[in-house]
């Protein structure tokens, strides 16, 4: 998988080492033109976004609730929130669209000496999951385009267990208001359970992919609880 670089972040009361590709610029430049078509497979997974840091801390504070529970991590990327939850005793199935992301997530579990979650390459539009089986579902900054509203709601309809909860962390994007309205029409409620401020971690002297998409260095993050 080539050379690795690492980010060091603090979340849920400890430091985490997260391996990722060493040459982010080449990863971006090597993308084929067709990858920018319908699915726009931009490698956002190479970063640890502020929403994931706030979500990881939230999971750390919910350790008694998630321990032993079957949980679903949507768009897990480098694996931080799945690793946090797994280290606290949750039974985590972590999904990502990109196999490369899960390859690094698996390495990150080894690097941090925590149990391996169940990693799965999966398109959330076509979930190969047991229906109504997840007590908790979460995602960090996954609601950033309108085209995700329907598929994410369909997934909640399909996978969330009766009485279950979903947690979504996001940096105040306008699209979340549209998502919340769509949720209400389907019978869900969404309340802001927490807010926090987090910085985009970066390797010393390197801006990473975040600079390419004009992401702020610090962000105010909302964490929504959906029932």
């Amino acid at each position: 998988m080539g050379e690795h670089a690492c980010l060091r972040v603090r979340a849920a009361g400890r430091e985490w080492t997260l391996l990722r590709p060493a040459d982010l610029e080449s990863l971006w430049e090597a993308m084929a033109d067709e990858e920018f078509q319908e699915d726009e497979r931009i490698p956002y997974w190479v970063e640890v976004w502020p929403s994931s840091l706030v979500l990881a801390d939230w999971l750390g504070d919910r350790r008694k609730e998630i321990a032993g529970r079957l949980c679903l991590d949507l768009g897990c990327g480098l694996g931080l929130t799945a690793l946090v939850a797994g280290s606290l005793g949750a039974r985590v199935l972590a999904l990502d669209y990109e196999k490369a992301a899960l390859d690094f997530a698996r390495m990150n579990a080894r690097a941090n000496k925590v149990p391996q979650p169940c990693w799965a390459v999966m398109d959330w539009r076509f979930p190969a999951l047991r229906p109504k089986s997840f007590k908790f579902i979460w995602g960090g900054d996954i609601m950033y385009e309108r085209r995700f509203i329907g598929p994410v709601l369909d997934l909640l309809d399909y996978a969330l267990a009766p009485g279950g909860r979903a947690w979504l962390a996001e940096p105040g994007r306008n699209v979340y208001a549209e998502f919340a309205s769509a949720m209400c029409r389907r019978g869900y409620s969404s309340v802001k359970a927490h807010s926090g401020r987090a910085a985009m971690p970066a390797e010393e002297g390197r801006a990473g992919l975040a600079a390419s998409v004009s992401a702020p260095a610090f962000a105010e993050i909302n964490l929504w609880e959906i029932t």
Side-chain angles (χ1 to χ4, degrees):
M1 296 178 62
E3 296 183 0
H4 306 152
C6 74
L7 298 172
R8 298 189 188 279
V9 303
R10 187 161 187 84
R14 60 163 283 185
E15 185 177 85
W16 301 84
T17 297
L18 300 174
L19 303 174
R20 68 174 183 176
D23 191 346
L24 301 184
E25 293 78 11
S26 293
L27 180 68
W28 180 280
E29 293 170 1
M31 292 182 66
D33 289 341
E34 58 267 21
E35 293 183 289
F36 286 96
Q37 300 303 315
E38 181 180 356
D39 284 339
E40 298 179 357
R41 299 176 74 162
I42 298 170
Y44 292 127
W45 60 267
V46 302
E47 299 283 13
V48 178
W49 301 92
S51 293
S52 293
L53 294 171
V54 172
L55 178 57
D57 283 338
W58 174 263
L59 295 174
D61 291 340
R62 313 264 89 68
R63 64 187 67 206
K64 291 183 179 179
E65 297 173 55
I66 65 176
R69 298 289 192 173
L70 188 59
C71 304
L72 183 62
D73 188 319
L74 300 178
C76 66
L78 296 173
L80 175 63
T81 52
L83 300 183
V84 167
S87 73
L88 300 174
R91 299 159 54 210
V92 183
L93 173 59
L95 310 184
D96 204 279
Y97 197 53
E98 299 292 345
K99 180 181 181 299
L102 299 181
D103 291 338
F104 277 93
R106 189 173 291 108
M107 287 192 293
N108 288 331
R110 291 196 296 268
N112 290 281
K113 297 181 173 58
V114 297
Q116 289 281 357
C118 180
W119 309 105
V121 178
M122 195 179 302
D123 184 335
W124 58 32
R125 296 171 296 186
F126 309 103
L129 304 168
R130 183 178 177 182
K132 305 293 184 183
S133 58
F134 293 92
K135 187 68 173 178
F136 298 100
I137 298 176
W138 60 71
D141 207 355
I142 62 171
M143 187 52 58
Y144 56 89
E145 291 191 30
R146 290 179 178 86
R147 63 192 176 100
F148 298 154
I149 292 175
V152 170
L153 285 174
D154 290 344
L155 181 62
L156 293 181
D157 288 346
Y158 180 82
L160 191 62
R165 283 174 280 169
W167 294 316
L168 295 186
E170 56 84 32
R173 299 185 191 278
N174 291 335
V175 69
Y176 192 85
E178 297 182 43
F179 179 64
S181 295
M183 278 193 295
C184 184
R185 291 192 294 272
R186 292 209 194 183
Y188 291 98
S189 65
S190 172
V191 297
K192 186 189 294 187
H194 177 68
S195 62
R197 181 173 171 84
M200 173 73 72
E203 300 157 42
E204 185 175 350
R206 298 185 61 194
L209 176 65
S212 301
V213 294
S214 301
F218 286 85
E220 296 290 341
I221 304 302
N222 303 315
L223 192 141
W224 301 89
E225 182 170 84
I226 301 163
T227 55

